[in-house]
Amino acid sequence: MTAPPAATPAAPALVLDGVAKSFGPVVALRSGSLTLRPGSIHALIGENGAGKSTLVKIIAGLYQRDAGTFEYLGEPVDFGTTAESKGAGIAVIYQEPTLFPDLSVTENVFMGRQPTLSLGRIDKRAMRAEVVALFEQLGVHVDPDRPTRGLSIADQQLVEIAKAMSLDAKVLVMDEPTAALSGVEVERLFGVARALRDEGRALLFISHRFDEVFDLCDTVTVMRDGEYISTSAIADTTVDRLVREMVGRDVTDLFPKTVAPVGDVLLEVEGLTRTGVFHDVSFEVRAGEIVALAGLVGAGRSEIARAAFGVDPYDAGTVTVAGRRLAGGDPAAAMRQGLALIPEDRRRQGAVLDSGIARNVTLTIRDRLTRAGVLTSAAENASAREWAARFEVRAPSLDTLAGTLSGGNQQKVVIAKWLATEPRVLIVDEPTRGIDVGTKSEVHRLLSDLAGQGLAILMISSELPEVLGMADRVLVVHEGRITANLTREEATPEAVMYAATHDVEVAR
Ligand SMILES: Nc1ncnc2c1ncn2[C@@H]1O[C@H](COP(=O)(O)OP(=O)(O)OP(=O)(O)O)[C@@H](O)[C@H]1O
Ligand SMILES: [Mg+2]
């Protein structure tokens, strides 16, 4: 890396001040301010919809600001395109993966800037070798030659990270890079981030997880409602203070868990096997229970859930809901029997991005809202309004397109959509991924309330505090097998982590 001419070590790499951005009537950013310095990892935090990703997209040249100033390496800049910001040395990992599904992993890493040999031929060997080296450093086990279609979100995110690292950037922006990663992968990413910091690069890190912010970052900026609130040294602040600044009030109880009376078995999974993915998975969930499926990313938890719901096939075993065996491979039939699955990849599997909030929330209950063959928008709106209010979905109206909502608000819409089906058994995959601290507590309260009303809930979560805080029982999955079945009392962090990393025989 050559030293930037205008910047001395103490000089900021990037300064945004009073930056504003509107989309028609929607003010996404009122006044965003941020100063990034070389050799620093700077956290940007704020509630869902606070304007963090909008600020990132302005830095990236994806959006152009309406007002405010933007200086990079001491010079005022206006990036008209993402290629310009990239060319200037700014690498961005977006909140949603942006890979091309049909191109190979290697081609995605080098998208738009392939190294060439003489005569303009693309140097495929050099590309592949660099990807292999980056993956080695990141501890990624992905075939560089396969297409990115079908990769788990965690693997897609790791490919995005490799892509950003391969740019040799002066500024690296990471918008919720850890949301889809497990503990081990997060640790690896943090190792890489620290190494980049020590080389004198400036890093921006967006996360809703305070433990990560305090572990990794040295400085933190808080945003609220599109505005800059504060910047502090991590050493001089506390979680409570940051939460107050983000939310404007105290959030006292993140895990409002109540223990409900336990009733009949509502979900029974017996000997479920999908060759090469998961094996002989058996468990029960009773009315009133929240059972967590814990384990590392890639252990097969989402795959088990998807097979049980019927979106993926399985080779052996049975799934029984409220005493009736499901045919398998038929999610519509599973829904009629009272099973709902809130998927982990809510952007691609969950929300219809070019439909409004009301349409999305009522998508699964159209039959019920239809009177004499007519679905009125009044009925749609009434139902959607109730759910949107319950989840504090932040949007100008119920017609707002789901695709324009902030990441967290999209998730709330998807959760509402599935709860509107009034299921008896709810499988929820990473219920609070990407959801801010205030809403997280609301989602937890809602899950607890639903269990209290007699629902059986199977919760997949990679966040250990969430597993320990919310579950009545914890099933741990390791390499496609259940390796522990722990009561709330037995489920210590050590016990869960041990079972998540070892093949232990489990008695049911
Ligand atoms: N392209 C767009 N069109 C219309 N509104 C938008 C667009 N992009 C963002 N917004 C709105 O701007 C606001 C800020 O969104 P942004 O994505 O920046 O939030 P965020 O802080 O990143 O939230 P999260 O933590 O949920 O990711 C939201 O109200 C969002 O709905
Ligand atoms: Mg965002």
Side-chain angles (χ1 to χ4, degrees):
M1 202 179 101
T2 50
T8 60
L14 183 152
V15 183
L16 292 159
D17 194 23
V19 170
K21 178 72 187 172
S22 294
F23 298 94
V26 181
V27 184
L29 198 56
R30 248 167 250 288
S31 174
S33 298
L34 184 69
T35 299
L36 298 186
R37 293 178 192 279
S40 156
I41 307 181
H42 195 123
L44 180 61
I45 63 173
E47 288 188 286
N48 296 135
K52 304 179 295 295
S53 296
T54 304
L55 196 70
V56 164
K57 288 170 186 167
I58 288 170
I59 294 173
L62 194 65
Y63 294 159
Q64 282 67 50
R65 63 189 189 278
D66 300 333
T69 59
F70 182 179
E71 282 182 17
Y72 178 60
L73 305 178
E75 303 286 333
V77 285
D78 280 297
F79 295 131
T81 61
T82 52
E84 283 177 37
S85 76
K86 233 187 245 175
I90 297 177
V92 179
I93 299 166
Y94 296 96
Q95 192 168 3
E96 313 295 343
T98 54
L99 303 174
F100 292 89
D102 296 316
L103 296 184
S104 75
V105 166
T106 300
E107 286 166 327
N108 266 289
V109 169
F110 283 95
M111 194 61 223
R113 45 182 195 90
Q114 289 93 341
T116 48
L117 297 166
S118 57
L119 304 174
R121 273 189 306 126
I122 291 173
D123 189 349
K124 289 216 168 110
R125 294 231 328 253
M127 276 165 58
R128 195 176 188 284
E130 189 176 335
V131 171
V132 169
L134 281 168
F135 281 5
E136 179 85 358
Q137 197 184 348
L138 282 167
V140 180
H141 303 285
V142 174
D143 174 5
D145 303 317
R146 62 162 286 167
T148 59
R149 181 187 300 285
L151 282 179
S152 70
I153 332 184
D155 284 340
Q156 289 183 42
Q157 200 59 271
L158 290 167
V159 173
E160 292 279 5
I161 291 162
K163 183 172 145 189
M165 282 172 51
S166 75
L167 277 174
D168 191 28
K170 296 184 178 66
V171 171
L172 175 61
V173 178
M174 300 182 279
D175 195 350
E176 299 194 34
T178 59
L181 305 185
S182 70
V184 182
E185 294 161 327
V186 169
E187 270 316 308
R188 256 188 220 124
L189 173 63
F190 284 9
V192 172
R194 291 188 181 106
L196 293 172
R197 174 199 62 198
D198 294 344
E199 290 172 8
R201 298 168 210 246
L203 283 82
L204 181 68
F205 177 75
I206 298 178
S207 174
H208 288 291
R209 298 190 187 170
F210 287 106
D211 51 344
E212 295 181 349
V213 167
F214 277 80
D215 182 16
L216 183 67
C217 304
D218 45 73
T219 314
V220 54
T221 291
V222 179
M223 292 181 68
R224 184 167 78 225
D225 294 332
E227 293 198 45
Y228 168 85
I229 300 292
S230 70
T231 295
S232 357
I234 283 288
D236 299 340
T237 192
T238 61
V239 172
D240 287 344
R241 203 164 103 199
L242 293 176
V243 169
R244 255 194 319 276
E245 290 177 347
M246 277 172 63
V247 186
R249 64 182 158 84
D250 285 315
V251 177
T252 43
D253 194 0
L254 198 47
F255 303 110
K257 168 76 184 160
T258 50
V259 176
V262 172
D264 296 339
V265 174
L266 290 184
L267 174 66
E268 187 178 4
V269 171
E270 188 66 57
L272 205 67
T273 298
R274 184 173 179 195
T275 310
V277 184
F278 52 83
H279 317 274
D280 198 18
V281 170
S282 300
F283 61 88
E284 297 175 347
V285 187
R286 291 169 176 272
E289 271 191 319
I290 299 179
V291 172
L293 266 190
L296 303 181
V297 167
R301 299 164 304 161
S302 300
E303 288 76 6
I304 294 169
R306 290 167 52 84
F309 185 57
V311 282
D312 284 351
Y314 49 87
D315 303 314
T318 58
V319 179
T320 309
V321 172
R324 285 176 60 192
R325 199 174 143 177
L326 296 184
D330 189 351
M335 275 170 64
R336 284 195 297 276
Q337 252 166 269
L339 184 61
L341 169 71
I342 303 178
E344 78 175 316
D345 185 356
R346 287 180 269 267
R347 190 168 173 94
R348 275 182 313 168
Q349 298 170 3
V352 183
L353 300 178
D354 55 3
S355 285
I357 294 172
R359 180 81 19 115
N360 266 286
V361 172
T362 55
L363 208 58
T364 48
I365 52 165
R366 320 212 82 193
D367 295 348
R368 213 188 309 147
L369 293 178
T370 303
R371 297 273 174 274
V374 184
L375 174 70
T376 63
S377 59
E380 209 174 68
N381 283 340
S383 170
R385 186 168 302 119
E386 191 188 316
W387 284 105
R390 211 160 156 181
F391 278 98
E392 300 176 27
V393 175
R394 274 165 214 218
S397 88
L398 291 171
D399 297 328
T400 303
L401 299 183
T404 70
L405 294 175
S406 79
N409 281 304
Q410 280 179 17
Q411 304 212 36
K412 296 185 209 172
V413 168
V414 176
I415 297 176
K417 170 178 110 174
W418 286 103
L419 289 181
T421 66
E422 298 179 11
R424 299 166 79 181
V425 181
L426 180 68
I427 305 178
V428 53
D429 200 348
E430 305 288 359
T432 62
R433 169 183 296 164
I435 286 188
D436 68 49
V437 53
T439 314
K440 221 171 192 171
S441 147
E442 287 307 308
V443 170
H444 288 148
R445 189 183 315 282
L446 190 79
L447 291 176
S448 204
D449 288 353
L450 291 167
Q453 291 161 25
L455 255 77
I457 298 177
L458 182 67
M459 176 184 85
I460 299 173
S461 173
S462 299
E463 264 191 69
L464 202 50
E466 181 167 84
V467 167
L468 303 180
M470 295 306 297
D472 298 293
R473 251 178 335 113
V474 181
L475 304 170
V476 187
V477 182
H478 172 62
E479 294 183 352
R481 291 176 194 275
I482 294 189
T483 50
N485 182 347
L486 308 167
T487 63
R488 192 167 165 78
E489 290 66 40
E490 292 165 343
T492 60
E494 295 75 27
V496 174
M497 282 318 293
Y498 185 83
T501 47
H502 292 78
D503 297 311
V504 287
E505 207 52 53
V506 60
R508 237 206 323 154

